[in-house]
Amino acid sequence: MSNDNSRNLYDLALKHIPGGVNSPVRAFKGVGGNPLFFKAGQDAYLIDADNNRYVDYVGAWGPLILGHCHEKVIDALRNQLQRGLAFGASTEAEVLIADKICELMPSIEKVRLVTSGTEATMSAIRLARGYTGRDKIVKFEGCYHGHVDGLLVKAGSGALTLGEPDSLGVPKAYTDLTHVLPYNDIDAVENFFSACGDEIACVIVEPVAGNMNCVPPVPGFLQALREQCSKHGAVLIFDEVMTGFRVALGGAQSVYQVNPDLTTIGKVIGGGLPVGAFGGKQEIMDMIAPLGAVYQAGTLAGSPLAVAAGLAMLNVISRPGFYDELATRTEFLLSGLQERADQARIPFTTNQVGAMFGCFFSAEDKISQFSQVMNCNAERFKHYFHIMLQNGVYLAPSAYEAGFVSSAHGEEEIQLTLDAAEKAFAALAD
Ligand code: HOZ
């Protein structure tokens, strides 16, 4: 398989783009080698600059739940393209998508659209601080909420992949207000709240962690967060940028039956276009300008194109049975991988919530802690990643990212993946 065109593009990119990429997780630093450059995506496949085809388990890091170029999304975009790209003013489609979001996630009574997940979490934190009149915030180790200054503390995703979970350039004074607790540790949460719960503005959490690979909450963890926040008057924020409309139509909050006060969403609601949103209880949301004194704004917020794509996407995924089918396919993929790893005697385990999954080179039965993720065999993952790539499967180029199955992944694509994995596990066993 030739990668000459990707290599040449990467060399050219290095000249005027820092590190040759516009987002660090794309750079293959976590797996070695040169990043691929892609020119097209169709259904479950990505096509690179050398015309190699890969079954895609990144799905643009989550949004492409229908695969690439789904006809309903493309039609919606084509329609909107003829009517205008941006107005910097309100549209009917924004009203429709807000209604749809509130209908699908009933904990959201009011919602504001922004242009990225980072903006959504940044705004939600500001709002929680404005609402409570408190400054301190709590996040969890290995969770990533975009590149917001105060949240780049022990962060997952690219920060973890590059081995720099805290960033230069973030004033110490900002992170002094951020308290980091271990994910899935109920005692740590209760102890922290008993010590200073009444000073906490908010707790922000990925209800299924997707930026330290995929780590679901242990039973009772999200409930404990809900309980402590309610008891101490802190705002509970679920960062459902990855899980919203992905693990289930109603997001992780519907799966675990815990209602946050605020939710941040993104990815799927843009159908592949840049969009994010935050929403929640009316009483809190009404504190945002122009109603309230918490300022938040965006020229391209509610972009007509992004909203058109999002509405089309939400209509398709609202079909009864959509998520069951997706979860069944994901289960089939993961059980097939496990079987092949076991046959090759490679210590391996998986996590799954709906169509979001994680694969771990570990002898542990189940992975639920950040420390377990860090103890996985990273060298094995690198080797596995490259063999999968050579055999036509594109995984996230990092051991610390979740994988995604779309409705375009059929039997053929999953079989191709399992055949590739069989070769990869055999090579790892040698
Ligand atoms: N949250 C995504 C990765 N887990 C972001 C992708 C990026 O940083 O480019």
Side-chain angles (χ1 to χ4, degrees):
M1 175 182 286
S2 159
N3 293 126
D4 292 350
N5 290 343
S6 272
R7 204 163 303 131
N8 290 340
L9 285 169
Y10 183 48
D11 286 341
L12 291 173
L14 285 169
K15 192 168 174 210
H16 291 304
I17 302 176
V21 291
N22 281 314
S23 193
V25 287
R26 300 175 192 176
F28 276 38
K29 292 277 183 229
V31 290
N34 295 324
L36 293 182
F37 281 65
F38 293 104
K39 64 179 187 189
Q42 191 59 52
D43 304 321
Y45 293 91
L46 274 170
I47 294 108
D48 74 9
D50 294 273
N51 287 322
N52 302 308
R53 228 162 75 111
Y54 307 86
V55 180
D56 178 18
Y57 288 98
V58 179
W61 304 95
L64 302 183
I65 196 163
L66 303 179
H68 294 269
C69 293
H70 188 276
E71 57 163 334
K72 296 275 186 214
V73 177
I74 299 299
D75 282 352
L77 284 170
R78 211 175 269 129
N79 262 338
Q80 186 56 46
L81 276 172
Q82 285 158 2
R83 296 201 227 142
L85 304 184
F87 309 123
S90 299
T91 63
E92 184 184 3
E94 289 169 85
V95 181
L96 297 177
I97 203 167
D99 287 354
K100 184 84 179 162
I101 291 169
C102 294
E103 174 200 321
L104 296 178
M105 278 192 181
S107 77
I108 302 183
E109 292 167 355
K110 286 198 174 177
V111 61
R112 171 144 304 169
L113 296 179
V114 293
T115 44
S116 71
T118 293
E119 255 188 272
T121 58
M122 178 185 79
S123 308
I125 298 253
R126 181 181 303 149
L127 177 57
R129 283 177 162 149
Y131 175 73
T132 55
R134 304 171 182 174
D135 292 337
K136 288 185 181 164
I137 62 174
V138 172
K139 77 172 283 288
F140 294 89
E141 194 172 26
C143 284
Y144 175 73
H145 307 285
H147 58 99
V148 180
D149 277 351
L151 293 171
L152 277 180
V153 190
K154 296 200 177 165
S157 190
L160 198 56
T161 303
L162 301 182
E164 289 166 8
D166 301 315
S167 173
L168 283 182
V170 175
K172 186 175 170 306
Y174 287 26
T175 54
D176 282 349
L177 296 169
T178 307
H179 297 268
V180 184
L181 298 177
Y183 190 76
N184 271 339
D185 187 336
I186 297 174
D187 286 346
V189 170
E190 290 176 348
N191 292 339
F192 190 73
F193 267 90
S194 342
C196 61
D198 296 348
E199 296 167 43
I200 306 297
C202 63
V203 171
I204 184 164
V205 67
E206 290 179 78
V208 175
N211 288 286
M212 50 165 151
N213 207 317
C214 176
V215 181
V218 294
F221 177 62
L222 298 176
Q223 286 79 359
L225 298 183
R226 178 65 281 170
E227 218 173 276
Q228 293 300 319
C229 284
S230 300
K231 184 168 162 197
H232 293 274
V235 174
L236 179 59
I237 305 173
F238 276 5
D239 180 352
E240 294 230 40
V241 168
M242 284 175 100
T243 53
F245 314 108
R246 161 57 72 175
V247 297
L249 189 56
Q253 52 197 269
S254 73
V255 174
Y256 299 101
Q257 295 285 299
V258 176
N259 279 341
D261 301 304
L262 292 179
T263 301
T264 58
I265 43 185
K267 313 265 189 202
V268 172
I269 55 153
L273 272 83
V275 72
F278 64 103
K281 284 189 177 153
Q282 171 165 349
E283 181 191 341
I284 306 179
M285 291 301 291
D286 281 351
M287 289 197 69
I288 304 170
L291 283 182
V294 175
Y295 199 71
Q296 187 283 330
T299 300
L300 296 178
S303 147
L305 279 175
V307 171
L311 272 172
M313 180 79 92
L314 290 174
N315 281 335
V316 180
I317 65 180
S318 300
R319 168 174 69 73
F322 178 85
Y323 284 89
D324 293 339
E325 271 172 42
L326 216 50
T328 306
R329 280 177 212 196
T330 311
E331 247 168 70
F332 181 62
L333 169 71
L334 296 184
S335 59
L337 290 175
Q338 187 69 60
E339 216 173 276
R340 283 154 183 80
D342 292 347
Q343 271 159 10
R345 296 183 186 284
I346 298 294
F348 181 82
T349 188
T350 62
N351 279 336
Q352 179 195 351
V353 185
M356 187 168 162
F357 68 90
C359 294
F360 305 86
F361 286 93
S362 165
E364 310 247 16
D365 273 353
K366 226 30 196 172
I367 302 287
S368 60
Q369 310 291 332
F370 177 71
S371 55
Q372 291 175 298
V373 176
M374 298 315 285
N375 282 334
C376 290
N377 191 328
E379 284 312 307
R380 268 210 171 132
F381 173 77
K382 286 181 196 175
H383 200 174
Y384 174 75
F385 171 85
H386 282 291
I387 300 175
M388 294 299 275
L389 199 61
Q390 280 154 22
N391 286 282
V393 178
Y394 186 67
L395 303 170
S398 162
Y400 307 118
E401 298 286 354
F404 302 99
V405 172
S406 80
S407 58
H409 288 72
E411 262 174 46
E412 190 181 328
E413 287 73 31
I414 294 181
Q415 194 52 52
L416 189 155
T417 310
L418 295 178
D419 292 345
E422 194 164 324
K423 290 184 196 156
F425 290 131
L428 293 177
D430 283 345

